[in-house]
Amino acid sequence: LAVARAHDPDMRLVRSDALQSPFRDGVFDAAFSSYVAEHFEGGPEPLFREIRRVLRPGGLFFVVVPHNNIFRRLVVNPALRAMYVVWKRHGLGLGFTEFRYTKAEMDGFLARTGFEVLQVLPDDYHLPWSKGLFVDVCDVGSFFNYEPKPPYEFGSRGQRMVRLLQRAGLWHTSGGLFSVAGAAS
């Protein structure tokens, strides 16, 4: 907030709990949530209900969450589960960090909380950056003391791997789901 105020001291800023905001019902035309909803251990629906409450009917909700893409389901998630078993055997504690969602799961969360899904797009970068795959390599690599360093992009071998995987479509490897939803009347 201090940084924002330094740029524009007249900007109206509010600090509050995302699940119980201080705003009246139906006062906003749009809301944006980027990589926040996945961090609620009970799921995203309480957040989505609160956002729906403060949106006017027909208002737009732009939401981005981590995508549980095919590459993650077939490669990354099993590798992480195996490493969690090793960590537990060594007495290392594990805490909740985030969920990763499929398009069907997000469509369901949004529908149950009063939204109509208007569009869903993959949220990722184009080469030489590939956010989804780079994060996945870092997730798995962190167990082997892999420490990525700037500029946080793949080298030539990694870029060849990304191109090969993305030939099947960006949806198979994208780091996030970007949903645009309208607040139902």
Side-chain angles (χ1 to χ4, degrees), residues 5 8 39 46 58-59 66-67 69 73 82 90 103 107 114-115 121 133 151 155 163-164 172 184:
R5 284 191 179 101
D8 185 353
H39 296 291
H67 181 206
N69 60 53
R73 290 193 307 264
H90 286 91
K103 180 185 177 305
D107 288 352
F115 290 98
L121 300 167
L133 286 171
R163 281 189 193 94
L164 179 67
H172 302 300

Side-chain angles (χ1 to χ4, degrees), residues 21-182:
S21 68
F23 305 107
R24 294 186 323 270
D25 295 357
V27 295
F28 292 104
D29 294 324
F32 177 67
S33 172
S34 180
Y35 294 102
V36 173
E38 67 275 10
H39 296 291
F40 292 91
E41 199 165 357
E45 291 185 30
L47 174 66
F48 293 176
R49 274 192 287 281
E50 178 63 6
I51 290 171
R52 173 61 194 94
R53 182 189 70 76
V54 299
L55 282 177
R56 68 166 174 75
L60 294 176
F61 180 29
F62 304 91
V63 59
V64 188
V65 297
H67 181 206
N68 197 20
N69 60 53
I70 292 170
F71 184 75
R72 285 179 171 161
R73 290 193 307 264
L74 296 178
V75 176
V76 176
N77 297 349
L80 290 175
R81 280 192 297 273
M83 291 312 301
Y84 294 157
V85 169
V86 171
W87 277 18
K88 282 186 175 185
R89 284 187 183 150
H90 286 91
L92 299 173
L94 296 174
F96 172 78
T97 55
E98 71 177 23
F99 289 111
R100 292 173 174 173
Y101 297 116
T102 64
K103 180 185 177 305
E105 288 170 324
M106 279 300 293
D107 288 352
F109 296 143
L110 290 164
R112 286 189 298 276
T113 55
F115 290 98
E116 175 189 351
V117 177
L118 304 174
Q119 187 172 13
V120 180
L121 300 167
D123 179 53
D124 216 324
Y125 296 111
H126 298 283
L127 286 172
W129 290 8
S130 178
K131 179 176 56 181
L133 286 171
F134 192 85
V135 166
D136 292 336
V137 167
C138 290
D139 279 352
V140 175
S142 68
F143 293 111
F144 305 101
N145 295 321
Y146 168 73
E147 296 182 25
K149 295 184 176 35
Y152 303 108
E153 55 190 61
F154 286 113
S156 60
R157 257 187 288 175
Q159 288 185 32
R160 282 195 297 276
M161 175 193 70
V162 170
R163 281 189 193 94
L164 179 67
L165 290 169
Q166 288 183 348
R167 280 192 186 135
L170 186 58
W171 281 109
H172 302 300
T173 61
S174 75
L177 290 171
F178 174 49
S179 298
V180 179

